[in-house]
Amino acid sequence: MAVSLPSVFVAATSLLAAIVYIRSNDTAGSTTTTHLHFFMHDDYTGPRPTAARVVSGRSLLATASSSDGGDIDSNATAAGSALLSRLLSSPRQFGDVVVLNNALTEGPDGGSGRVGTAQGFAVRVSEGGIVSHLTMHMVLEAGEHGGSSVTANGRIDMDAKVRESVVIGGTGKFRFARGYMLTRNYDYDLARGGVVEIDVYVRH
């Protein structure tokens, strides 16, 4: 009994669809959500700072505007120097780039058990308020997730009580991770830094 080519094609297509359905359901069933909770120590002024402004945005604008090729008298130069000094001493400015290498601990105290390191950078993106674009890798060094990492990306508005960022990926146990990160100030001062409480909800 001859089998027609269309019948073989229909059977093969049905089998392929069944395999895809089973695999997709199996993948969905294996997804889990992990809650990570720790405290980040963001220190700008201590003897060994873990956060540093590496680019001062406003000072670059001021320097560019004062070096347009024209003659600048001594009064203008003095005024420009005073402005530059104020800009450099300001804790936060539009266009700043800050790099982070902050400890992550179980509790808010600096002597609490260390669980990892938060490494990344923030760019000040607003002329009003303290608003930054943050990219941060939370590298976990201890506990059941040691050797894995989670990466978050988002807009951080320091005037907000709770800030939400997007988990965009991870490594190790958190490969293909998706989720969100919530940050809130625990004991924080804009000039010196401080402690930030972090909750991360990771689906992986």
Side-chain angles (χ1 to χ4, degrees):
M1 178 177 172
V3 179
S4 66
L5 187 58
S7 298
V8 173
F9 178 77
V10 169
T13 303
S14 299
L15 180 60
L16 181 60
I19 292 171
V20 170
Y21 176 79
I22 291 169
R23 285 190 174 177
S24 64
N25 280 345
D26 181 60
T27 301
S30 65
T31 299
T32 184
T33 299
T34 298
H35 175 207
L36 304 172
H37 177 256
F38 30 68
F39 294 84
M40 180 177 75
H41 299 264
D42 196 32
D43 183 8
Y44 283 85
T45 59
R48 296 182 62 188
T50 61
R53 179 170 54 182
V54 295
V55 174
S56 181
R58 286 292 192 191
S59 66
L60 293 178
L61 296 176
T63 302
S65 64
S66 65
S67 60
D68 56 3
D71 293 329
I72 302 175
D73 60 28
S74 59
N75 290 335
T77 301
S81 296
L83 173 63
L84 184 59
S85 177
R86 285 199 310 274
L87 292 171
L88 288 172
S89 63
S90 173
R92 299 289 190 274
Q93 304 167 108
F94 172 61
D96 283 356
V97 178
V98 172
V99 294
L100 311 171
N101 186 42
N102 296 332
L104 297 173
T105 61
E106 294 176 352
D109 186 85
S112 181
R114 183 167 178 143
V115 296
T117 305
Q119 297 173 318
F121 64 91
V123 181
R124 314 297 177 201
V125 293
S126 176
E127 294 189 58
I130 310 301
V131 182
S132 300
H133 169 82
L134 172 71
T135 297
M136 185 168 73
H137 307 277
M138 289 159 281
V139 182
L140 305 177
E141 301 159 1
E144 62 178 309
H145 305 301
S148 300
S149 70
V150 177
T151 300
N153 201 333
R155 179 181 183 271
I156 301 295
D157 183 350
M158 293 301 290
D159 289 332
K161 185 176 180 181
V162 179
R163 287 88 62 174
E164 183 171 349
S165 302
V166 180
V167 170
I168 59 173
T171 64
K173 293 183 178 179
F174 299 123
R175 289 174 185 162
F176 305 109
R178 289 293 181 267
Y180 62 98
M181 176 179 76
L182 302 176
T183 60
R184 57 184 64 82
N185 294 341
Y186 181 84
D187 178 17
Y188 200 87
D189 178 84
L190 290 176
R192 64 176 176 80
V195 180
V196 176
E197 186 173 7
I198 299 178
D199 284 282
V200 184
Y201 296 87
V202 186
R203 181 169 292 178
H204 56 100

